[in-house]
Each structure stands twice: as C-alpha cells, then as structure tokens.
Amino acid sequence: MYIYNSQSRKKEEFKPIKPGEVSIYSCGPTVYDYFHIGNARPFIIFDVLRRYFEYRGYKVNFVQNFTDIDDKMIRRANEEGITVKELGDRFIAEYVKDAKALGIRPANVQPRATEHMEEIIKMIQRLVEKNLAYESKGTVYYRTAGFPDYGKLSGQEIEDLDAGARVDVDDEKQSPADFVLWKSAKPSEPAWESPWGKGRPGWHIECSAMSTTYLGDTIDIHSGGHDLIFPHHENEIAQSEGATGHPFVHYWMHNGFLNIDNEKMSKSRGNFFTVRDILKEFEPEDVRMFMLSAQYRSPLNFSRESIEQAHASRVRLYTARDNLLFLLKSAQEHEYSLADIDFAAQIDMGKQRFEAGMDDDLNTAEAIGALFDIVYACNTMVTAETAASAIRHALDTLKILTDILGLLVKQPDELPTDIRDLAQKREEARESRDWKLSDELRAELIALGYTVEDTPNGQKVSKAI
Ligand code: AMP
Ligand code: ZN
C-alpha cells in the first residue's frame, strides 16, 4: 500500500514498524458541541483506513482522543452553567450517537485529556529536564530553539515564525515560536496540581502524551485534517521527539477540507451544519457515500446535489444486491458455464481495481468506481441461467468490499407477513390475468412503501430504499 506522507510530500510504500500490525493515532473532536459535517470527514476516512488495513490482515491499534479541556470547553460550560466535566460527558455521548449513525466504529482506545493529567505532566517534566521547556509565572513553554527539527512537517522556519509574530506585552515567551505546554490557572477555571502550581495543559501536549501512553514512542500513522499540520502536529513532533528521543510518526496523513456550496463552512456565513442537523434530512449512509466519493486529500464540496447523487449511487448498489438475492432464489446449482466464468472474471477484476485504488493512498473514489463496475456486471450479465455459485460469488465480493467502506449495511428486509400476503394475492391475480386487481394490489403495495417490479423471473417486491 502507498500512503502520501505529508512530511516527505511523497507517496511512500507503507512498511509497518511491527510486521502485521499498524498503530494509528487520529486527532479527535473537541467535545464542546455536536461535531460538524467537516469533522465527519476525517472520522469517516480514517475509519475506512482502519477497516482496509484489517481487510489486508493487519491487527490495527487505533486511538482517537477526545479533547475535553480547552478555552472553548471552559467558555461553553460557563455559558451553560455546568462544569467542564459535565459538558465533556454530554458531548462525548452525543459524539458516540452521531458517529454510530455514520457507521464510524469506536476506536480501540478513546482517551480523554482530563483523564491523562499524570502522563501529560510527566512528559512536560521530561521536557523541562532536557531544557526543552521553561517555566514562567506558573506557565510552561516549549523552547522551539532547542529542537533543531522544528518545522520539519510544515516546512516552517523558526526564523520566519519569529519575524512574522508579534509578542504580546505580557507574554513570557522567550521566542514567538515557543508554545504553551502548561497554563497557570486563572481563578474559576478547572485546574490540576502540578510541579508548576495549579493549571491545565495546553492543547498539543495531550496528543503526544496519549499517543505515547497507548501506542509507544513511535507510531506508524498519525492523522487529522490538514489544518492540524501547523501548529498542532508540528508541536506534537517537537514534544514527543524532544521527550523520548525517538522518531514520533512514520506516516503523516491529512485530509482536505469539506466546503459547503463551494464556500468555507463557518458560523458567521450561516453555512455551518452539525452532523445532527444533516441527519435530520439525509440518510447517514448517503452522507458516508458522499464523503468517500472523493480521494481524502482533495477538497470536497457538500451540496444538496452532491448528497442526492450519493443517494442515487447507494440505491444502485442496494438494487444490484437485492436483485442478485432475488435471482439466487430460483438459480440452479450447476457447474460454471462460459458465461458464468466470464461473469466471475468481471467480479474479480472489479475487486482488483478496488484494491488497487485503495492501495494508492486510500483512493476511495476509485474504489467506489470499481464497485460500480461490479454492479454493472451484475446488472448486465446475470440471467435466469446464471449458476447459483456465481451469484453467491458476486454477493460475497460485494459484501466484503462494501464492508471496508461501511456501505450496504442494511440487511435485505424479510417482507412482513401482510406484505407477503398482498404480493401472493397479486401473483395469483396475474396468473388468472386479472389485470385490474393486479394493478390495485400494486398500488396498495406502493402506498405502503414498497416497490413492485415484474421481471422474467416473476414479481419482485422490495422495500423502497
Ligand atoms: P476539531 O474538533 O476542530 O479539533 O476537529 C476535529 C477534526 O476535524 C480535525 O482532524 C480537523 O482537522 C477536522 N476538520 C475540521 N474542520 C474540517 C473541515 N471543514 N473539513 C474537513 N476536516 C475538518
Ligand atoms: Zn491531536
């Protein structure tokens, strides 16, 4: 598999640290509100990355944190008149609901910053001991000048940062590029005891501390949106490599941004949508299909049309599967005919194209294209003569590949008894050429939310998607 590494700015062949295992740390949400549709992009993408590695036989250790202490958390908790802990508990629970709806599997570990104060403080102490951090009035700063590799991810030079920055009068930083590791407590803010007095961690240190705690000093992959490259991930490298003396991350993966109707999403523009809002109007699986319709590094535009397009694609996928299931009921168990061999070969070619796409830096757009090659083969090549085993081969392949993307998750519905009875009556009406009754029964089924198709293999009734 090839992965575009944001640090080398090249696609590199993926070589795990431990054979057969992959460690991934993904920056998670700040839990001060419902997460928005832009946040959903990395959560879905890196969920697919994890699933693809599993499909390829790796054991994946996937960690995604919850940032549950920062300025936004404190401000919101004050507005609501609740504690920061209560706010965090509430929006973690809401995150879990929306993530589940979108088919995002929970990470193996979902650590909270506030539950890792000991590890955070220890890491800062190591940096102070190594003279890579200094304290001033109860606040601890990272000394960027002490870390020669500073800037290696983002390509920023400390000198440029210094030149471009204005230093606040009351700022105790020795250099503008230095950043906060530990903030001394203001009255009425949540605070933890530390060697530097009561305070709370800066944002960047939590990811370094939790990544090391759960995945070790060096990890295979670290991911997040591209806005995190600087300063968040640059600072994580400085902290982790400074503290442990080991390389921090082998592959940095960053997703492109999601825009709304070709504009940057923002509250002030009035085009800001939480996943909770979006799911009131759209099917979660359509949102997922839409998110995967572009390679993760490209920008992605969210619009009503794009979701409608995703919906249409999803319906094609379900229709193809349900059609195969329908034909399977009457298919014969016989050796592959030449046509079956040809059909199975088309399915296998689709699978190869899917894998090649995913191996090329997780190109889900290509993978979805490959799924529709398979759908096309199913729609055009399967007949009443197709061998049952060839149909099962197509169904199995579709299942395996769509599981990687988290699509086609709904099981075909067994028809409820009353619907089956109506369908049976209509079948009988058709047999006795009572077209009027047959039409009436069709209308009744449609009104109940079902589709009715008359095929050469008989009547096909299914729940409207
Ligand atoms: P935050 O809660 O703001 O720290 O963001 C959580 C994740 O969502 C991070 O990986 C961000 O880079 C990512 N993210 C935020 N906004 C967008 C967006 N509009 N499009 C894609 N990713 C985003
Ligand atoms: Zn992070």
Side-chain angles (χ1 to χ4, degrees):
M1 181 176 187
Y2 280 76
I3 288 180
Y4 180 89
N5 187 348
S6 316
Q7 187 168 327
S8 64
R9 296 187 174 79
K10 280 200 292 274
K11 280 186 196 169
E12 295 173 8
E13 191 179 354
F14 178 72
K15 294 198 182 106
I17 298 166
K18 276 195 214 153
E21 288 190 25
V22 192
S23 50
I24 307 176
Y25 185 98
S26 215
C27 289
T30 307
V31 284
Y32 71 108
D33 204 341
Y34 296 100
F35 66 101
H36 61 66
I37 189 69
N39 299 140
R41 190 175 191 196
F43 303 153
I44 291 174
I45 288 293
F46 300 117
D47 174 61
V48 169
L49 176 72
R50 170 196 195 182
R51 290 170 188 243
Y52 188 62
F53 274 123
E54 285 175 354
Y55 165 74
R56 284 299 203 184
Y58 288 91
K59 177 177 178 296
V60 184
N61 297 314
F62 186 73
V63 177
Q64 184 182 285
N65 67 306
F66 288 116
T67 298
D68 62 350
I69 175 76
D70 78 344
D71 291 342
K72 285 187 289 225
M73 294 285 303
I74 294 171
R75 204 178 316 126
R76 184 73 189 260
N78 283 341
E79 279 164 20
E80 307 242 329
I82 56 175
T83 63
V84 166
K85 162 101 174 70
E86 284 163 341
L87 183 74
D89 288 348
R90 175 173 163 209
F91 283 111
I92 286 174
E94 302 294 7
Y95 169 87
V96 169
K97 277 188 215 159
D98 290 338
K100 187 165 182 226
L102 290 175
I104 299 163
R105 282 169 44 198
N108 301 101
V109 191
Q110 303 186 84
R112 292 173 69 153
T114 55
E115 291 173 1
H116 294 79
M117 283 303 156
E118 214 184 298
E119 293 87 343
I120 288 172
I121 291 170
K122 267 200 194 130
M123 191 173 242
I124 301 176
Q125 275 178 307
R126 277 167 90 179
L127 291 169
V128 173
E129 280 157 20
K130 291 186 162 188
N131 201 27
L132 282 168
Y134 55 93
E135 185 249 3
S136 170
K137 299 184 187 160
T139 291
V140 185
Y141 298 92
Y142 190 96
R143 188 194 313 283
T144 45
F147 185 70
D149 274 347
Y150 194 80
K152 72 176 169 184
L153 175 65
S154 58
Q156 309 253 11
E157 300 286 340
I158 293 186
E159 299 77 57
D160 298 344
L161 290 167
D162 283 357
R166 272 182 300 143
V167 183
D168 284 344
V169 190
D170 60 1
D171 211 329
E172 301 291 328
K173 282 195 230 176
Q174 293 175 0
S175 147
D178 294 354
F179 57 92
V180 171
L181 298 167
W182 186 261
K183 258 185 197 164
S184 84
K186 290 199 190 116
S188 83
E189 281 184 359
W192 288 262
E193 293 292 348
S194 83
W196 316 283
K198 282 193 146 205
R200 62 184 166 99
W203 170 35
H204 318 296
I205 193 71
E206 70 174 87
C207 289
S208 286
M210 294 193 284
S211 176
T212 314
T213 302
Y214 293 103
L215 299 171
D217 291 353
T218 307
I219 64 173
D220 290 301
I221 296 173
H222 193 123
S223 60
H226 75 68
D227 58 318
L228 300 186
I229 293 178
F230 188 85
H232 186 52
H233 289 160
E234 193 67 66
N235 291 353
E236 280 187 40
I237 296 176
Q239 294 162 160
S240 293
E241 299 193 353
T244 69
H246 298 127
F248 178 37
V249 170
H250 281 186
Y251 304 85
W252 284 98
M253 292 177 80
H254 292 101
N255 63 273
F257 255 41
L258 178 127
N259 296 316
I260 309 278
D261 294 321
N262 292 313
E263 285 198 48
K264 191 173 180 309
M265 177 165 61
S266 77
K267 284 194 174 143
S268 57
R269 282 175 209 240
N271 65 354
F272 180 93
F273 301 106
T274 65
V275 166
R276 190 60 60 94
D277 294 334
I278 295 288
L279 293 185
K280 283 184 192 136
E281 211 181 328
F282 302 105
E283 281 282 321
E285 215 179 315
D286 292 342
V287 175
R288 198 164 166 115
M289 171 72 93
F290 156 74
M291 288 288 180
L292 299 174
S293 65
Q295 204 270 352
Y296 72 92
R297 284 192 292 125
S298 354
L300 179 61
N301 188 43
F302 183 93
S303 65
R304 181 165 290 276
E305 297 79 66
S306 54
I307 288 280
E308 279 162 8
Q309 238 170 38
H311 174 77
S313 304
R314 189 174 67 82
V315 170
R316 273 172 66 209
L317 203 55
Y318 272 87
T319 309
R321 181 201 63 186
D322 293 349
N323 207 23
L324 289 175
L325 286 169
F326 174 72
L327 289 164
L328 185 59
K329 284 189 201 152
S330 50
Q332 303 293 309
E333 301 285 351
H334 58 72
E335 297 276 298
Y336 274 20
S337 64
L338 281 179
D340 293 332
I341 293 172
D342 200 14
F343 173 56
Q346 290 299 317
I347 301 297
D348 294 343
M349 267 165 61
K351 184 174 173 200
Q352 275 165 24
R353 180 180 165 200
F354 182 101
E355 289 174 350
M358 295 293 273
D359 282 341
D360 181 15
D361 193 28
L362 207 74
N363 191 342
T364 52
E366 180 66 14
I368 289 177
L371 277 184
F372 284 102
D373 283 354
I374 294 178
V375 165
Y376 182 75
C378 294
N379 292 347
T380 54
M381 298 175 85
V382 180
T383 66
E385 274 73 55
T386 306
S389 51
I391 296 182
R392 278 196 296 271
H393 177 59
L395 278 166
D396 291 347
T397 307
L398 267 181
K399 165 108 183 77
I400 291 168
L401 301 184
T402 51
D403 274 356
I404 298 169
L405 303 180
L407 297 172
L408 208 58
V409 289
K410 285 193 205 140
Q411 297 309 312
D413 286 327
E414 270 298 310
L415 297 177
T417 334
D418 52 334
I419 301 296
R420 245 184 300 161
D421 288 350
L422 283 175
Q424 177 65 30
K425 267 193 212 149
R426 183 168 179 271
E427 191 75 54
E428 285 161 15
R430 276 163 53 81
E431 271 161 27
S432 54
R433 298 176 167 271
D434 185 347
W435 307 123
K436 187 168 168 288
L437 178 62
S438 150
D439 284 349
E440 279 165 18
L441 288 163
R442 169 205 286 265
E444 200 174 329
L445 284 162
I446 290 171
L448 289 166
Y450 290 80
T451 57
V452 183
E453 267 174 88
D454 295 314
T455 80
N457 296 299
Q459 166 190 250
K460 191 174 150 214
V461 177
S462 30
K463 185 134 185 64
I465 298 164

